[in-house]
Amino acid sequence: MEKDLEFERTNAISFSISNGNKLHYFEHWHTLRFVLSDYDLVRAVGGFEQDFEKNIFSDFEGDEWQARTKEGFAAYNKLRLAQIKPAPKRTAYGITGLGQIERDRIVGAYVRDPARPPSDRDDASYEKTFRDVIVSITGVTDEDDNAGSLFLFAEDSGDIRPGEDNLHLTLYLPSDRLRDLIAEIRSSKTRPQLHVAAIVALYQSEVEASLRDWHHPQTFLLPQPHGQAPARLMQVRFGFDKERTLETLDLPEPVQAREELVADTKPQPAQATSTASLKSIKIALWIIAVASVLRLLIR
């Protein structure tokens, strides 16, 4: 990764090269594909959230909350509970797991923002390469109101890979389709791999974008300290192991076809090979004789 990255404009990050010129990383939509082999199916029922508009200290009359009395604590706790309200979506479905990026990789690197004064900037360098991403697919009623995102958590304290820097990819799918997907996964005898495709707005070097062939792995940049890129779910499909597919469908093993293939590939006996060679020589001699006769007749 190049050094001294700096935002030049919203969709361009610049870096200097040895001759003093500048090259750029440009932001574009890129398709990323992930394989989820280990994931959980989630259904959350109920839920509450904090009402930040309620201020217990301003709503509490007088200084009674300071008194350590039974009545004071009861009134205080009542106001505390008033800060909690039911979440708007009572039931949610989801899929969460650790996915591996197919072929490509993402680099999180520190990028300076020249618009901020030096006193407000954190010039600590940061760079880390990621091939694993924590992928979450959540059901929503209105997909357009919940655009997904790829973001970086430094030293994440979550259940998946705690204590490490982690990339998180949050994607959204209409609730009815997600319920159908989860039902199909649960009906499988073995939990299939999930192949997830998403389109993500990431930065890429103009040099790599112009010189690489289509089959080459790509490296994308997720700038820090911003560290968030919009994303959209494109596709989720199952990936079954071949042997498990045959076993699951209880299909008979194609023994006859395999035996015919083996028979065709067996080496022929030496005698048969010699006979074939003699036949070829005889045919060649006949062709030479006929050609000689025709030459005499033409003269």
Side-chain angles (χ1 to χ4, degrees), residues 4-291:
D4 299 324
L5 299 175
E6 185 175 85
F7 276 104
E8 186 161 307
R9 53 184 185 270
T10 302
N11 71 328
I13 295 171
S14 66
F15 63 96
S16 300
I17 57 178
S18 57
N19 62 4
N21 293 333
K22 285 188 176 183
L23 296 177
H24 298 88
Y25 284 80
F26 289 110
E27 185 186 36
H28 292 287
W29 290 103
H30 299 281
T31 300
L32 295 180
R33 302 185 185 277
F34 309 87
V35 178
L36 276 71
S37 300
D38 184 14
Y39 56 89
D40 293 322
L41 308 178
V42 180
R43 183 186 180 192
V45 180
F48 293 85
E49 63 184 20
Q50 183 177 353
D51 186 353
F52 291 99
E53 295 180 358
K54 288 186 178 294
N55 187 326
I56 64 169
F57 298 106
S58 62
D59 294 339
F60 207 106
E61 296 180 0
D63 297 331
E64 188 178 357
W65 63 274
Q66 295 179 349
R68 295 187 176 275
T69 63
K70 183 177 180 180
E71 294 76 17
F73 276 116
Y76 179 80
N77 289 334
K78 184 178 180 180
L79 287 175
R80 272 297 192 196
L81 290 173
Q83 290 181 303
I84 305 300
K85 62 180 182 179
K89 296 176 182 177
R90 302 301 300 270
T91 303
Y93 296 85
I95 299 173
T96 302
L98 184 64
Q100 290 74 43
I101 307 175
E102 290 186 1
R103 189 182 66 172
D104 304 322
R105 63 179 183 173
I106 297 174
V107 177
Y110 182 81
V111 178
R112 293 187 181 88
D113 186 355
R116 298 177 60 188
S119 58
D120 295 338
R121 293 204 306 253
D122 181 8
D123 290 329
S125 61
Y126 180 91
E127 182 177 331
K128 188 170 182 178
T129 300
F130 296 89
R131 285 190 173 89
D132 294 338
V133 179
I134 298 173
V135 179
S136 298
I137 304 175
T138 305
V140 291
T141 304
D142 188 350
E143 185 181 7
D144 292 335
D145 288 342
N146 294 274
S149 62
L150 177 74
F151 52 94
L152 173 62
F153 273 165
E155 296 184 359
D156 185 25
S157 58
D159 295 335
I160 302 177
R161 302 180 65 181
E164 298 184 33
D165 294 353
N166 287 301
L167 278 181
H168 291 246
L169 176 62
T170 302
L171 301 168
Y172 296 94
L173 188 67
S175 296
D176 54 347
R177 282 193 277 168
L178 184 57
R179 282 197 299 269
D180 292 341
L181 175 63
I182 291 177
E184 192 170 354
I185 293 172
R186 294 185 63 187
S187 66
S188 303
K189 291 184 179 179
T190 58
R191 181 163 296 185
Q193 286 184 339
L194 292 184
H195 294 256
V196 179
I199 183 169
V200 187
L202 292 168
Y203 292 81
Q204 186 179 38
S205 167
E206 61 178 329
V207 177
E208 179 183 357
S210 60
L211 297 181
R212 77 171 192 89
D213 289 331
W214 66 269
H215 56 86
H216 287 164
Q218 301 185 75
T219 300
F220 302 110
L221 172 64
L222 181 68
Q224 288 294 316
H226 305 279
Q228 184 165 345
R232 285 283 187 179
L233 176 64
M234 295 179 63
Q235 185 186 61
V236 181
R237 58 186 176 88
F238 291 173
F240 289 97
D241 182 83
K242 186 175 182 181
E243 294 181 0
R244 290 184 180 178
T245 303
L246 291 175
E247 180 183 348
T248 302
L249 298 177
D250 294 325
L251 296 177
E253 189 177 3
V255 178
Q256 183 177 357
R258 190 179 70 249
E259 288 178 350
E260 291 176 357
L261 178 62
V262 172
D264 291 339
T265 57
K266 284 183 178 178
Q268 300 296 327
Q271 183 179 357
T273 305
S274 301
T275 303
S277 300
L278 289 174
K279 287 182 179 179
S280 300
I281 294 172
K282 288 180 180 180
I283 293 172
L285 291 174
W286 274 109
I287 293 173
I288 294 172
V290 171

